[in-house]
Amino acid sequence: MTWDAEAKMRFLFALRSKGLTDQRVLTAMERIDRADFVTGLFADRAYEDMPLPIACGQTISQPSVVGLMTQALDVQPRHKVLEIGTGSGYQAAILSQLARRVYTVDRYKRLVTEARALFERLNMTNITAVTTDGSHGLPDQAPFDRIIVTAAPEDPPGPLLAQLKPGGIMVLPVGQSDAVQSLIRVRRLEDGGFDYTELLPVRFVPLLEGLGKE
Ligand code: SAH
């Protein structure tokens, strides 16, 4: 399959049918060919609306979930965004079309190295990928306008809440790893408090502590 007009039309139709309405997000997703981020056995399923296996036993998320999370994040052109869970790099690539600067971190060095090479090949110069345990955030670059977490902690990690600017938004799945989790949006209020909204049921790999072996 190639990322031709027909493939794009079908892909965007599937996203719209799942509730994606933000035209800026749809345009960003039309610009990024998901097949660049899925290699090996599952490459020919890159345009299907399903999660797929990637290296290190991880998964690239379902495109409609990527779209709905990005829509809920409400990214603006001047924003500095942090993503926890680089995985294939697909979500970061979408964010790079919408934000000024994207920092993305993963606990697997191999995933970060591969994603970095891909960002370079695709000329995505506003993404910085770092190998680190993202449950501590990225203190050196904090605070962030937006934070997106693509692995599920049981509760929103304190350091991530602390690294969100007042008025900032964080979107993340929360819940037990072996159960259905909830995607939530957290808004940091100007007075320092937090406002929580539940968005939809999802299923993500767990947010784990420490670095991965590969
Ligand atoms: N956003 C990715 C999908 C991520 S899958 C994409 O677009 O393809 C979830 C990722 O979170 C995995 O790669 C996993 O290694 C990573 N992860 C889990 N716990 C983490 C932690 N504490 N810090 C950083 N990354 C973590």
Side-chain angles (χ1 to χ4, degrees):
M1 277 268 259
T2 51
W3 194 225
D4 56 19
E6 195 194 329
K8 288 180 183 178
M9 197 183 71
R10 284 173 191 270
F11 189 78
L12 294 176
F13 181 81
L15 297 177
R16 281 200 194 90
S17 74
K18 297 281 174 69
L20 192 59
T21 51
D22 186 328
Q23 192 51 52
R24 290 175 312 139
V25 178
L26 287 162
T27 302
M29 293 187 77
E30 185 177 355
R31 286 206 199 114
I32 308 294
D33 183 352
R34 189 167 181 255
D36 285 331
F37 299 83
V38 184
T39 50
L41 274 180
F42 294 93
D44 62 341
R45 310 191 74 166
Y47 305 144
E48 292 178 29
D49 190 25
M50 49 163 57
L52 295 170
I54 57 170
C56 304
Q58 303 304 310
T59 49
I60 176 172
S61 311
Q62 188 176 345
S64 57
V65 173
V66 171
L68 291 171
M69 286 178 85
T70 310
Q71 178 166 278
L73 205 59
D74 187 28
V75 181
Q76 302 296 325
R78 298 186 59 79
H79 282 170
K80 180 165 77 166
V81 182
L82 172 64
E83 180 195 24
I84 310 299
T86 310
S88 68
Y90 180 66
Q91 172 75 72
I94 306 288
L95 293 169
S96 81
Q97 308 299 301
L98 300 164
R100 177 173 59 82
R101 176 114 227 126
V102 178
Y103 291 89
T104 180
V105 309
D106 205 286
R107 57 192 289 279
Y108 284 103
K109 183 162 180 255
R110 174 173 169 195
L111 294 176
V112 168
T113 307
E114 290 178 4
R116 223 183 249 152
L118 205 45
F119 300 147
E120 203 163 307
R121 176 160 77 74
L122 299 172
N123 276 319
M124 294 173 176
T125 53
N126 64 340
I127 311 178
T128 305
V130 181
T131 308
T132 187
D133 175 355
S135 45
H136 306 298
L138 199 58
D140 290 357
Q141 302 298 336
F144 298 95
D145 299 286
R146 298 290 186 261
I147 300 178
I148 181 169
V149 188
T150 63
E154 289 191 13
D155 298 296
L160 297 184
L161 292 171
Q163 289 172 31
L164 201 53
K165 283 187 194 171
I169 295 174
M170 170 156 72
V171 173
L172 75 165
V174 287
Q176 305 278 341
S177 60
D178 53 355
V180 173
Q181 305 137 0
S182 286
L183 187 67
I184 63 167
R185 178 174 50 208
V186 183
R187 186 187 291 272
R188 183 168 195 165
L189 307 172
E190 300 291 342
D191 69 8
F194 294 94
D195 183 59
Y196 296 82
T197 315
E198 204 167 317
L199 302 174
L200 63 142
V202 285
R203 211 166 169 158
F204 277 83
V205 299
L207 187 80
L208 298 174
E209 301 255 315
L211 294 185
K213 288 207 178 72
E214 288 181 76

